[in-house]
Amino acid sequence: MWLPKYLNRLAFVQLLLLHLLCLNPAAAKKEKPDISSHKLDNAPSNFFYFDDSNTILLLDREAGRVHRSEDAGKTWDKVDIEDGEASDLWRHPHDNKKAYIIGKGSTKGSTNWHTNDQGKTWQDFEIPNARPSLYRAPFAFHAKESDKVLIHGAICRIAGVADCTEVTFYTDNGFESVAKLRENTRGCIFAHATSEFRTGGNDKNDDRIICVTTGSISFDRREHRLAVSNNFFEDEEEPNLDGDRTVQGIINIAVVKGYIVAAAKAPNTDELAMYVTDDASTWHRAVFPSDSRLKEDAYTVLESTSYSIEVDVMTVDPPNPMGVLFTSNSNGTYFTKNIEHTNRNAHGIVDFEKVQNIQGIVLVNIVDNWEDVEESFGREAKRLKSQISFDDGRTFQDLTMDKKNLHLHSVSEMNNVGRVFSSFSPGLVMGVGNTGKNLKQYEEGDLYVSSDAGLTWALALEEAHKYEFGDQGSILVAINDEKPTDMIQYSLNYGKDWQKVDLPEGKIRAKALTTTPDSTSMKFFLWGVKGGGSRAEHWVFSIDFEDMHENKCTDKDFEKWVARVDKDDNLICIMGRKQFYKRRKPEADCFIREKNFEEIKPVFEKCDCMKEDFECDYNFVRNEDGDCVRDGPLPDPEGLCKGGAKKYKASSGFRKIPGNGCEGGVKLDEEIERDCEDTLKPIVSGEINSERTAFPGQSFTGYFYLERTESSSSSDKAGKDETVLMRTDESKVYITRDHGKTWDEILKGKKIKDIYPHPHFNDVCYFITTSEEVHYTINRGDTFSSFKAESEPTRDRNLQALAFHADYRDWLIWTGAVDCDDDGNCRNDAWYSTDRGSHWQDLRHVVRKCEFIKEAGRGERKQLVYCEQFKDEKLGGPLELQASDNWFADYTTPFKNIVDFATMSEFIIVATKDQTDGDSLKVDASIDGQTFADALFPSNFKVPIQKAYTVLDSHTHAVFMHVTVGNQRDAEYGSIIKSNSNGTSYVLSLDKVNRNTPGYVDFEKMLGLEGVALVNVVSNIEEAEKGSGKKLRTMITHNDGAEWSLIRAPQNDPDGKSYDCKTDNIADCSLHLHGYTERRDPRDVYSSPSAVGLMMAVGNVGEYLTTKSEKTSDTFITRDGGIEWEAVKKGNYMWEYGDQGSIIVIVRDTVATNEIFYSLDEGKVWVPYQFSKKKVHVAILSTVPSDNSLNFLLWGREEDSDSEIVTFNLDFSQLKERSEQCKLDENEPDSDDSDYYLWAPQHPSQPNKCLFGHIAQYHRKKVDSNCFNGRSIQHLHSIARNCECTRSDFECDYNYEPAKDGSCVLVNGQEAPDHSQVCKEDPEKMSYFLPTGYRRVPLSTCEGGNELERYESKEVPCRGHEKDFEEAHRGLSGFWIFILGVVLPVSIASAVGYWVWQNWHGKFGSIRLGESGSPFDADRPWIKYPVAAVAGIVAVLAAVPLLLGSLWRWGSGMFGSGRRYTTRGSFARGRGDYAVVDEDELLGEDEEEEV
């Protein structure tokens, strides 16, 4: 989000030689201004005037010094700081005495300086142990109390930007002292950041500060939130931005006039939500017209007014972007369209500027050939034209000069400092441009001037000039801006006549011309360059008009000037007022000579009220006719409708805009008579509704949801707009907008082979045919378009034809079949497009696949692409991994003989054939796509020939990997190893873990909770390898794999009967669950991140897991994260969570049925509902991926039908128990009237609810509250406190293994790991600890207690820091030594440095896997599903022929950090059949025939 930065006019200083005045009094009056010059050592980096003064500060960053002039550049002094120390220079925007110099500093902090007297004297200040932030502006200011300043700082562990923690500091006494405000901020502001902003009555929250902060645990930007404090964060609260809900994903915050604006972004969309407050207390979501969307880096908050916000929304992407201009109502919540096709540049700067000091006049540039630009995806050059509005943007008209259209260069191509067109000089406007049909190049322009605020224009000077206003408009100065010149020109009659004055140093190329910010001074400042290249000289000039004209203007020299008139000279009213100025007459032979720098003030007269003076009242919106109509039920009229009354007096729908001064005229805001029925809420039926739809065909072959996100436009209507796309086996495609109540066939007559939803943008979907023709929608099926690819899609069923970019919606890679023979054998070639298929360019030939290296953490290399190409372009040869970041203009080959590669948001893994043993595989990994490192497996983990790897999870700051140990068909098993926090070394977590032939593993994380996972282990390996079936047992971990245990069984079965075994003997009688490898649909997961603590599963109680059948299996539920389980139904059921767990629906699996069961109390009571008279074989039960709907879909075939397939929509929105919105108060979550309570998960062996070293509190709906959740809840409320460390916070270090007593012992024959590596990573580190055999679980935040990684460990100095270490530890006890150093890299990687890693790690060479994200990164798909199976020559890739391709199809929205497919059946939401193997899941080559 860009914000306008109209800084006060900047100025450079120069040393001027004093001109001696002639002693003759008659010579005191001069005909020309005085001009003096001064040569600078270097180009100035920054300069500015102090407001209402002739004092200038100038920064020479190259020399590290600041210069000062008190006479507008005539004389200069260097400020009193050492040369080389100054890095930046800032002016206080609200106090014309204050400024700040930023010192160069180091990681430990810097010395900085401030002045309170316009730079005469400077005092130093330091930011404690920090330096100013490199990521955002260093200061945020208080508009009313200038001694209060916020400082954005960074505490860095290593020089540069590595491992920096953002911290905000503050001073409330003008830098006499500086204190820490808050850590982990992403920008803070005072609510009183502008003079216009008010924080309620009497500004009671005068010190209110609003910060963007990281999440409670995660640093992921999707977890960023707002925090507000009135006492410098002694305490804080999170404001409700959307009704009674907080909002995560805040990416920016700013103050615009009298408004604070926050932008939020949800995953899987480029659309943003904007939230606005005009009192820093009550927030509203900004509502834009339904056809307009705010996209990240695609809207600009413009120069606004005290009564509205101006926003330009980009409609066409770069390279030739354009937009639409919107204006808000008075509280900033409802926006209406003003003008379309506005011109903007690639940086978001819009050609929009208000005429200074005159209300309601705006100049814009629009794109005249907008249709051509849109159709060419921005490739067509824009033809611009200029327009002006005199009525606050309601209407626009052309600029004219002598009846010709005039066009002016504007803000998007700044050619001077300060404002472009105007100043505080009333009515005077200047610009460079040309007459004709459209705007030409700047060098083809001339200088034009208007003295009536842009209504009429005249030619001022030929050729382009820089220009400036002085003495409130009585002086205009200009200098040629096309070529070097040796003169300036000036006018004293509003640009009618111009005089020339020579410059003293010969020809210069003008760089900047400016004066005081309010244009009241008679002195000007010019910077120019003489010569070029290494001989370039930088000169500054002072231009002084004070000794010209002895007359000061009197009353007779002024006129009353009307500020706004239309082309017919009619006065225009804005905000109910006419505006006038007393200004100097053009022909007056005088100067205003305002010694106190006071600008001319406007005079206002009231107007009669018109419709434009009113806006819609609360609960009303504008219709197409401009009238205000109801938007839902009206507020309760407080008893006026009681006693049978049918009418009452209430708002007309209009209200006068606050601050509007009109009187009389129309009275649209008078109350009118309304019906009492208008206040009633819709009546709910209390019934579940079911809608059946039949389709011709035998099966559904693909379906998925296009779900709106929290930041999508009109997301408040998301419950009514639940779009699903579906394909049948007859290649017909259908769409529903209401979750299956009604369906329409789309793309009729087109034979659709595959459907690819965009994995990163929910609104986009592609429809693949068997030819080059591809159809697509970018608006969730509202409209469809098509393109032709360069070939038919690849015939390789293991690949998808399209690959997508994570950030750029329209960037595509097409893999197509080329040179196909009669047997259907083809080669694959790849092409790329950056305009959604309109134009294609060659990428690589003879490839297996090409892929964007996507997601955060790849540095700035947005074009980074990996291709697997056959060596020398010969099919069947070795595969080479090739990488390029410039579309293969050149490339590197990191690996010569690979099996496959997979990309995750955190890292890239590559499976290669081992050079020393061609039958074995090895794994390499990278986080930046440039530097790779070997995966070091534990020394006690011996696998002679490594045939398969499955990457299970990298979510909890560590990588889980399954390595196949035994791969005999139907007897496969392996070990789970877990990495340290940088992914470079592994320890054994659990062995004998079950795997199937395709390479998938019985491993599943619980969604929404930290560190809970379930696995199935093979208990009879020897018998299984001899042909006996596997005997599986289910185990669970509550501390991220550090410890595993069997699951304690419930006491009774669903009928209340005891089980056959003794449940108190867990070794022989525990709960076992059917896992990932047995699922018919591999997306049938146990849990949902929106239903925290809940899991459902099918299994049995006994010694082993039995065959899945109606007789032996039951359906179970847990409500506490897997500690206690309850049997709820006999037999096998499918399940789905709705409304974030407030409704659970189950239906029989494998058995025809006509009823479902639902629960409103987390599975305690199940209510039957008959959805059909006929029994149905239900294949899938589904709902929206977020599990936040009151609607569900059953997909199946009726028992007596062989020619039709059916869907049933189940709508629970009419249930009375779910008719009211639940109430949530984030600040008092446990209040009596709240519908929620705080729930804390715990480790079963720890009684104090500590898990991973802290107590995390989650919002959960009270089961007896009859209400619906609605908008997604941010379930994690807070981290209540950190706990003391215990054994469960640690796991065995590298080369250590668990002994029988649970302690960690060194593996025989192995050496302890070398912890001195931390010194190499951080040259400033003083010491490290020798290994103890333990390392902290990366998620743990425990403090004190039994810190096993330090217990009885010796601290030793890093090489080169021995003396520092000795001095620091002199006199300290051993217990406190650890305070002086950072212990192990693994113990800090989960917190320190994560932000920089995420945003900067492409710039460093370290290999660190698994640090990104957190347990709350809900769209990390490999949290949820085993993915990335890496297989070799033997028996591992039967998955390819078995799956017949499409985990891409099932999982394109889940794998690769796409759509949040989170619950059972969510695979089915994405696609229907298996058609393509997703490259993100299965890594390997085809299995050999003998398998």
Side-chain angles (χ1 to χ4, degrees), residues 745-867:
E745 186 179 355
I746 58 175
L747 301 175
K748 292 182 180 180
K750 305 295 182 181
K751 192 170 181 63
I752 303 303
K753 169 181 174 285
D754 288 312
I755 303 177
Y756 296 163
H758 198 300
H760 309 289
F761 297 94
N762 287 9
D763 294 346
V764 183
C765 188
Y766 290 83
F767 304 85
I768 311 301
T769 67
T770 54
S771 69
E772 297 91 345
E773 187 178 30
V774 177
H775 302 269
Y776 65 87
T777 177
I778 60 172
N779 49 25
R780 304 173 57 258
D782 287 343
T783 59
F784 294 87
S785 302
S786 64
F787 63 77
K788 278 199 170 182
E790 294 296 294
S791 71
E792 66 174 90
T794 176
R795 296 186 184 181
D796 188 339
R797 297 296 292 173
N798 303 327
L799 300 175
Q800 73 271 12
L802 278 176
F804 303 96
H805 197 285
D807 300 318
Y808 296 97
R809 183 189 65 182
D810 299 331
W811 288 19
L812 304 172
I813 294 176
W814 176 263
T815 303
V818 178
D819 294 341
C820 300
D821 59 25
D822 294 338
D823 295 327
N825 299 314
C826 314
R827 79 166 198 259
N828 286 333
D829 285 358
W831 295 264
Y832 74 93
S833 172
T834 58
D835 55 11
R836 209 183 311 136
S838 292
H839 301 85
W840 292 95
Q841 303 292 330
D842 282 344
L843 193 64
R844 300 304 279 164
H845 299 289
V846 196
V847 300
R848 185 164 71 180
K849 68 177 181 180
C850 291
E851 181 180 325
F852 290 109
I853 303 304
K854 52 190 178 289
E855 293 295 334
R858 311 293 184 227
E860 300 300 322
R861 305 200 300 168
K862 298 296 185 184
Q863 297 176 9
L864 182 60
V865 174
Y866 277 8
C867 284

Side-chain angles (χ1 to χ4, degrees), residues 849-1044:
K849 68 177 181 180
C850 291
E851 181 180 325
F852 290 109
I853 303 304
K854 52 190 178 289
E855 293 295 334
R858 311 293 184 227
E860 300 300 322
R861 305 200 300 168
K862 298 296 185 184
Q863 297 176 9
L864 182 60
V865 174
Y866 277 8
C867 284
E868 293 179 358
Q869 186 184 50
F870 290 96
K871 186 176 181 181
D872 299 327
E873 297 188 1
K874 294 181 180 179
L875 279 174
L879 277 174
E880 295 182 335
L881 181 63
Q882 299 175 350
S884 175
D885 58 6
N886 57 8
W887 307 120
F888 281 88
D890 54 62
Y891 64 92
T892 60
T893 307
F895 298 96
K896 297 286 188 179
N897 193 359
I898 75 165
V899 175
D900 214 335
F901 76 91
T903 58
M904 308 294 182
S905 69
E906 293 180 305
F907 62 96
I908 304 166
I909 58 173
V910 178
T912 63
K913 293 184 178 180
D914 196 320
Q915 294 180 356
T916 60
D917 183 354
D919 291 332
S920 187
L921 300 182
K922 65 184 292 288
V923 170
D924 290 83
S926 173
I927 61 167
D928 61 6
Q930 302 178 69
T931 309
F932 287 83
D934 292 339
L936 303 177
F937 291 166
S939 56
N940 59 330
F941 177 66
K942 303 295 184 183
V943 183
I945 299 179
Q946 297 174 21
K947 291 294 185 181
Y949 314 119
T950 305
V951 178
L952 302 172
D953 177 67
S954 62
H955 174 63
T956 51
H957 308 305
V959 179
F960 281 91
M961 184 181 292
H962 181 279
V963 181
T964 297
V965 176
N967 62 338
Q968 180 176 316
R969 191 176 183 87
D970 296 328
E972 299 91 349
Y973 70 96
S975 296
I976 292 179
I977 57 175
K978 180 185 177 185
S979 78
N980 61 348
S981 59
N982 62 23
T984 57
S985 66
Y986 291 76
V987 296
L988 182 64
S989 176
L990 185 66
D991 58 11
K992 304 178 184 178
V993 178
N994 185 48
R995 201 212 80 181
N996 64 8
T997 300
Y1000 294 109
V1001 179
D1002 276 346
F1003 174 96
E1004 186 166 322
K1005 286 276 188 151
M1006 183 175 187
L1007 307 181
L1009 281 185
E1010 306 170 88
V1012 179
L1014 297 96
V1015 300
N1016 283 335
V1017 298
V1018 182
S1019 62
N1020 64 331
I1021 290 175
E1022 292 184 2
E1023 292 87 345
E1025 290 181 336
K1026 293 177 182 179
S1028 299
K1030 296 179 184 177
K1031 293 183 178 180
L1032 303 181
R1033 309 186 80 188
T1034 301
M1035 303 189 77
I1036 190 169
T1037 177
H1038 293 271
N1039 58 356
D1040 209 36
E1043 298 171 300
W1044 295 87

Side-chain angles (χ1 to χ4, degrees), residues 326-382:
F326 295 90
T327 300
S328 78
N329 62 345
S330 65
N331 66 2
T333 55
Y334 288 96
F335 283 78
T336 55
K337 189 181 299 183
N338 275 3
I339 187 170
E340 295 185 277
H341 319 307
T342 52
N343 183 52
R344 50 170 38 228
N345 64 20
H347 303 290
I349 307 301
V350 182
D351 279 351
F352 171 98
E353 185 174 283
K354 293 180 178 291
V355 172
Q356 183 112 347
N357 222 28
I358 301 178
Q359 197 174 30
I361 302 181
V362 181
L363 288 95
V364 299
N365 281 344
I366 62 171
V367 180
D368 199 18
N369 62 329
W370 59 270
E371 297 105 325
D372 297 334
V373 176
E374 283 185 348
E375 291 174 0
S376 69
F377 288 88
R379 293 176 182 271
E380 182 76 14
K382 293 183 288 189

Side-chain angles (χ1 to χ4, degrees), residues 1056-1164:
K1057 299 177 181 178
S1058 299
Y1059 285 103
D1060 294 337
C1061 59
K1062 296 182 179 179
T1063 57
D1064 57 351
N1065 180 11
I1066 193 171
D1068 298 324
C1069 187
S1070 60
L1071 176 62
H1072 307 289
L1073 306 174
H1074 293 279
Y1076 194 89
T1077 61
E1078 293 186 73
R1079 292 173 184 165
R1080 181 175 69 249
D1081 180 345
R1083 284 164 291 185
D1084 291 349
V1085 294
Y1086 298 136
S1087 57
S1088 166
S1090 68
V1092 176
L1094 298 181
M1095 279 195 287
M1096 293 196 72
V1098 172
N1100 62 274
V1101 172
E1103 187 176 3
Y1104 305 108
L1105 182 65
T1106 60
T1107 303
K1108 189 176 182 180
S1109 69
E1110 285 296 307
K1111 293 182 178 180
T1112 61
S1113 299
D1114 294 336
T1115 301
F1116 298 86
I1117 192 171
T1118 177
R1119 306 177 185 92
D1120 57 6
I1123 299 176
E1124 298 290 338
W1125 291 77
E1126 179 183 337
V1128 294
K1129 286 290 177 183
K1130 298 288 288 185
N1132 302 329
Y1133 282 79
M1134 294 180 282
W1135 58 88
E1136 269 291 3
Y1137 306 95
D1139 190 42
Q1140 303 172 65
S1142 82
I1143 297 178
I1144 306 175
V1145 175
I1146 62 175
V1147 65
R1148 294 294 291 268
D1149 190 7
T1150 70
V1151 175
T1153 183
N1154 62 353
E1155 72 174 357
I1156 57 98
F1157 293 87
Y1158 69 92
S1159 174
L1160 303 180
D1161 56 5
E1162 297 183 346
K1164 295 179 180 178

